[in-house]
Amino acid sequence: MAATRFHRVVIFLLFAITVVNYIDRAAISYAIPAIEQQLGLSKAAAGTILGAFGLGYAVTTLIGGFAVDRYGARIVLSIAAVLWSLSIGLTGLASGFLTLYLARTLLGMAEGPNFSAVTGAVERWLPPARQASALSYALVAVPVALACGGPIVTQLLAALGWRGTFAVLFALSLVWVPLWYFLFRDDPAQSRHVNAQELAFIREGQKAETAPVRRWPRMSEVRVLLTNRTLLVNYWAFFVFGYFLFFFMAWLPSYLQQSYGLNLAAVGAFTVLPWLCAAVALWALGRWSDRLLRTTGRLRVSRSYLIAGTQLVAALAVVPVAFSASLPVAIACISLAVAASMGANAAYFAVNVDIVPEKAATALGIMDFCFALAGFVAPVITGFVLSLRGSFADGFALMAVLALSSVVLVLAFHRPDEDRAIP
């Protein structure tokens, strides 16, 4: 009997919810000029609101990793998706700075466990040699969402205004929840859609014990996750990736409007290319990472060098943007920077599984906590700089410095082959 392929359905469900996740969190970046005008917000206030997501995200992304290891991805992600749908609805009802800030904070808190759940699900549903590829399929949803989200959200804004747009997004976000809850199981062996042949494929290379760990991590286990040099560097590199992502996700529409005088429809069109390039890079490099692992057997080659190389390209790509007044040059360099910074995304996630497979979701929660801090810092610093100087140049320069620091640290200390044997 041929093996079933239900693991592909699982990956598609993870892809779909991540698309919803990122359209929801990025929609405000297109709406913020209208919100600023209607609610009388300054650039600094707008940056603080955009950064509120990161604060809420930081609160629950770490707890979310623990919760996924304790309760499983099925229940955690179901509850999270309901809560962030409600927060999107509340965003459309906001009447001032405080209510908008609280709604964005709630959205961050609700979305915090998402990638811990993705990592936990992939660890259960794919053999180790296929996990980076599977993560790349799920994670490619991020740039896909941001690419298609720009035109979709700008059209909704033009037709319905910002309040109506968030009402529509609220309704769409709820559709996924019953599909996930009724189709997914934390243990593939408990799924009626998986036959013995597919289960054998999933179990290939995994430890014999595959049932979800039903306890919170001990402090000794957390200490290991906070002292392993490869994981520590991975956390910093992911912070830098997050800074790039949140900078462009939060401020790219405003940058294009302010620097080149584009209208809302044109902004939506011009934001498509960077995120499409990122989608292709993430998908291709995720597959390449697993291929390198299969052919070389070395995590240093398949993970570390990929991370260092992509961040070096990203650092070099943003420098011309700070000094060029040409829209084609800016779009080309931004597209390269976004694609490079996101290209190794699956490798960051896979490192957690490579080093600590039994606590991959918890390790991802710590890594995603650093990502959440970037989600707060990048919008707030950029909004503050804009309120002082009215220029994005300083923001691009800071991004280049951060990426170069990551390259140096990864080349010096990111040694997953040596550090994977955790006592």
Side-chain angles (χ1 to χ4, degrees), residues 162-193:
W162 65 274
R163 295 188 186 279
T165 296
F166 284 104
V168 171
L169 294 177
F170 159 72
L172 292 176
S173 299
L174 286 175
V175 172
W176 176 89
V177 177
L179 295 175
W180 173 256
Y181 186 79
F182 290 110
L183 290 177
F184 179 79
R185 294 294 181 271
D186 291 305
D187 186 350
Q190 297 176 357
S191 173
R192 62 187 178 88
H193 304 288

Side-chain angles (χ1 to χ4, degrees), residues 4 67 77 167 293 300 375:
T4 51
L77 201 49
L293 181 58
R300 173 77 166 169

Side-chain angles (χ1 to χ4, degrees), residues 99-414:
T99 51
L100 192 56
Y101 186 88
L102 292 175
R104 290 296 296 176
T105 303
L106 176 59
L107 178 64
M109 293 178 68
E111 291 193 355
N114 183 70
F115 286 117
S116 294
V118 168
T119 302
V122 167
E123 193 272 330
R124 297 296 174 188
W125 278 81
L126 274 298
R130 304 283 181 177
Q131 286 170 2
S133 296
L135 285 167
S136 72
Y137 285 122
L139 296 173
V140 79
V142 174
V144 167
L146 296 173
C148 66
I152 291 172
V153 172
T154 52
Q155 291 300 315
L156 286 173
L157 287 169
L160 304 174
W162 65 274
R163 295 188 186 279
T165 296
F166 284 104
V168 171
L169 294 177
F170 159 72
L172 292 176
S173 299
L174 286 175
V175 172
W176 176 89
V177 177
L179 295 175
W180 173 256
Y181 186 79
F182 290 110
L183 290 177
F184 179 79
R185 294 294 181 271
D186 291 305
D187 186 350
Q190 297 176 357
S191 173
R192 62 187 178 88
H193 304 288
V194 176
N195 66 9
Q197 289 75 18
E198 182 178 10
L199 189 61
F201 164 78
I202 293 170
R203 297 292 192 243
E204 181 182 354
Q206 291 185 349
K207 291 188 174 183
E209 177 57 50
T210 57
V213 179
R214 298 302 185 187
R215 60 175 176 80
W216 295 96
R218 301 185 183 96
M219 286 305 300
S220 60
E221 295 170 330
V222 175
R223 191 178 302 114
V224 167
L225 302 181
L226 294 175
T227 57
N228 182 285
R229 62 177 176 175
T230 295
L231 291 178
L232 286 174
V233 174
N234 208 57
Y235 301 153
W236 173 252
F238 202 65
F239 170 86
V240 174
F241 155 70
Y243 195 99
F244 270 70
L245 178 61
F246 280 102
F247 177 94
F248 287 117
M249 189 169 63
W251 286 110
L252 180 57
S254 294
Y255 166 73
L256 293 174
Q257 285 182 302
Q258 176 177 316
S259 301
Y260 299 101
L262 301 181
N263 60 33
L264 187 61
V267 165
F270 275 102
T271 57
V272 171
L273 181 61
W275 301 117
L276 283 182
C277 291
V280 173
L282 198 159
W283 173 80
L285 293 182
R287 291 174 60 86
W288 191 35
S289 179
D290 274 349
R291 179 171 295 180
L292 286 172
L293 181 58
R294 290 194 295 270
T295 56
T296 69
R298 295 185 60 202
L299 294 169
R300 173 77 166 169
V301 173
S302 59
R303 311 296 197 224
S304 308
Y305 291 160
L306 195 63
I307 292 170
T310 53
Q311 292 217 344
L312 177 61
V313 172
L316 298 176
V318 296
V319 174
V321 184
F323 303 104
S324 175
S326 167
L327 179 59
V329 169
I331 292 297
C333 291
I334 288 171
S335 297
L336 180 59
V338 171
S341 67
M342 294 199 72
N345 203 2
Y348 296 117
F349 280 70
V351 166
N352 297 292
V353 179
D354 297 330
I355 302 291
V356 282
E358 298 88 354
K359 288 296 173 187
T362 301
L364 188 278
I366 297 172
M367 187 180 81
D368 221 18
F369 177 79
C370 299
F371 177 80
L373 293 180
F376 170 72
V377 172
V380 171
I381 287 181
T382 305
F384 177 72
V385 170
L386 285 173
S387 69
L388 293 178
R389 291 166 52 90
S391 171
F392 283 90
D394 293 338
F396 290 115
L398 177 58
M399 291 164 69
V401 172
L402 288 172
L404 289 174
S405 74
S406 178
V407 172
V408 171
L409 290 173
V410 169
L411 292 178
F413 301 111
H414 201 272

